[in-house]
Amino acid sequence: MGHPFPIREIARQAGLSEATVDRVLNGRAGVRESTAREVHRAIADLDRQRTQVRLVGRTFMVDIVMQSPERFSTAVRAALEAELPSLHPAVVRSRFHFRETGPAEELVAVLDRIARRGSQGVLLKAPDVPEVTAAVGRLAAAGIPVVTLVTDLPVSARIGHVGSDNRAAGATAAYLMGQWLGDRPGNVLTSLSSGFFRNEEEREMGFRSTMRARHPGRALVEIAEGQGLDATQYDLVRAALERDPEIRAVYSIGGGNIATLRAFEDAGRECAVFVAHDLDHDNTRLLREHRLSAVLHHDLRHDLREACHLVMRAHGALPPAGPTLPSAIQVVTPYNMPAPAVAG
């Protein structure tokens, strides 16, 4: 029978000598039928375990490159490190390159250094701008697979994307916002960290289209470019509240929620409904304190596991698989929060 396994590997699996396995495979006489069955069973077992056999002793050095507030990059690091044991028998080592903000040229410089130095893969969260897309192309030309994380670069040479369906997440936020505001008057503040992150743009489009369809009389007030950082977010929110006395609710697409709430408090205004994204350490605390109405969350551990599997497949260490499905969107309230270790 045809098989890709060395005689030594089959003998080890079957608990027989190499000479016995050789006699069975070549149809020679002097072998009991039960022994032959053991050899064929060992080959079948190895075939089922082919993935693990190919992974034994493999080490993958993966670079995680992210432009994101510290609270989210910390959550990503914790999620990846929690998933590493599940990737055995492969060994995944990681190098982290985190920055909160800055020009695209600095991010491109990091990617180009990785291309020159070498890596088994790059997990990337970056703005969708031409300079970054070009850098991904250079990584691909160097034989380094790139997987986009949370926010996509669809026209780049990346091999795949992991994350949630952001349009569906925005639509879910609009549904919750409409239900909780009910007939009460008031406008909704939508807050993006930057218009260059595709995931935030898609969330905003999903939110806006659903609000327009379900609540056409409700005005939306947009602020952007706070980078999700409290220092810049506060001024943007405070200015919006001063311009519009009818703002009563917030859909926070890009973060900076501590600063947003502080701006409401300092202005003496109530935030009746506040929907945010991601159970980072800030949002976890705010949700426990009932200062957020709900957090739309997706399982970062699932995302990081899928991203690592995509890198392994690119190197032929895992068998081909179908397209990566979006992560499930979880609506988390103060009453159904995950355990602290999961929440990050």
Side-chain angles (χ1 to χ4, degrees), residues 16-222:
L16 301 169
S17 70
E18 293 181 32
T20 299
V21 172
D22 183 70
R23 285 199 297 273
V24 172
L25 295 180
N26 289 286
R28 299 192 183 100
V31 179
R32 290 195 299 265
E33 184 178 343
S34 61
T35 301
R37 285 199 300 269
E38 289 177 16
V39 170
H40 296 316
R41 186 181 305 118
I43 292 172
D45 289 343
L46 286 171
D47 193 55
R48 284 195 304 274
Q49 300 167 22
R50 185 185 300 236
T51 294
Q52 284 74 26
V53 169
R54 285 204 300 266
L55 286 173
V56 168
R58 294 290 296 270
T59 297
F60 298 87
M61 177 61 76
V62 176
D63 289 270
I64 297 86
V65 182
M66 296 179 59
Q67 180 171 315
S68 173
E70 177 274 334
R71 61 181 178 274
F72 187 73
S73 57
T74 297
V76 168
R77 184 197 291 266
L80 176 60
E81 292 175 347
E83 276 303 302
L84 292 181
S86 74
L87 300 172
H88 288 318
V91 175
V92 175
R93 297 175 58 197
S94 52
R95 295 182 291 224
F96 297 96
H97 314 268
F98 294 157
R99 60 203 291 273
E100 289 199 305
T101 187
E105 290 77 10
E106 293 179 3
L107 192 61
V108 167
V110 172
L111 297 175
D112 285 342
R113 281 198 299 273
I114 293 170
R116 291 191 299 269
R117 181 183 59 200
S119 177
Q120 273 70 58
V122 171
L123 311 186
L124 178 62
K125 179 185 181 295
D128 186 6
V129 295
E131 303 96 303
V132 174
T133 296
V136 172
R138 292 191 289 274
L139 286 164
I144 300 172
V146 177
V147 179
T148 53
L149 175 68
V150 178
T151 185
D152 200 6
L153 304 171
V155 300
S156 73
R158 55 87 167 139
I159 63 167
H161 170 69
V162 294
S164 61
D165 181 334
N166 287 297
R167 281 182 181 262
T172 301
Y175 174 79
L176 295 173
M177 186 69 67
Q179 291 290 310
W180 287 334
L181 281 177
D183 295 329
R184 287 179 290 175
N187 300 335
V188 179
L189 182 69
T190 64
S191 170
L192 294 84
S193 72
S194 172
F196 292 107
F197 286 104
R198 183 170 287 266
N199 67 320
E200 295 191 19
E201 181 183 51
E202 291 174 345
R203 289 171 182 175
E204 194 274 338
M205 287 189 290
F207 184 80
R208 186 174 295 275
S209 62
T210 303
M211 289 294 289
R212 186 184 301 120
R214 296 177 61 90
H215 310 283
R218 185 85 64 184
L220 305 182
V221 180
E222 180 180 313

